[in-house]
Amino acid sequence: MDVDFEELYQSVILDHSRKPRNFGPLPDPTVTVAGDNPTCGDEIALSLKIDPQADKVAGVGFTGSGCSICMASASLMTLKVKGKTRAEAGALLNDFQGMITGKTPEAEIPKALGDLRLLSGVRKFPQRVKCATLGWHALKGALAQTEGAAKFSVDPKDADL
Ligand code: ZN
């Protein structure tokens, strides 16, 4: 890590862990998925509100507590997935997993990850990878559970179907 990267990493991670974005219970969620990482003591519950017409993540919120990497990663994730379609959120999830597990070579880490790229150094510390991915595992579960959510929305025209 060069000095600038390290400084940016510290400031962004500290900022998001102290003031996590989209933190708190989400009113009227479509789905809530909880997860924990016993090796570190991180516990998170992630809620999504899916707009069934657009198949978009209309709202996102998370609760729980964890170490700074866990909280910052979840906070940054919520900023990224809000307003995305479920497919876009899934693509982001794949990009992040490729980066954090080290499957994606450093030079090929997608720019679309934005500030999440600051977490790329975590790949060198397998114990901390679980901290960084906890919120994302919850996202994966939430996306899977809302698969086909659009099908269950009732359009008044189709009410008799
Ligand atoms: Zn942790």
Side-chain angles (χ1 to χ4, degrees), residues 57-95:
V57 179
V60 55
F62 76 105
T63 56
S65 61
C67 65
S68 56
I69 290 178
C70 168
M71 297 303 276
S73 182
S75 172
L76 287 161
M77 179 267 285
T78 63
L79 289 178
K80 276 283 177 190
V81 301
K82 199 169 180 177
K84 295 278 196 301
T85 64
R86 289 176 62 267
E88 288 166 343
L92 200 66
L93 173 73
N94 287 336
D95 285 350

Side-chain angles (χ1 to χ4, degrees), residues 97-121:
Q97 280 185 328
M99 176 187 82
I100 207 79
T101 58
K103 284 190 188 114
T104 306
E106 196 137 358
E108 291 169 28
I109 293 170
K111 291 207 164 39
L113 287 171
D115 278 351
L116 284 161
R117 287 182 299 164
L118 292 169
L119 288 163
S120 63

Side-chain angles (χ1 to χ4, degrees), residues 37 39-42 66-70 127-128 130-132:
N37 171 26
T39 53
C40 181
D42 308 315
C67 65
S68 56
I69 290 178
C70 168
Q127 288 295 332
R128 307 318 297 274
K130 289 180 187 166
C131 301

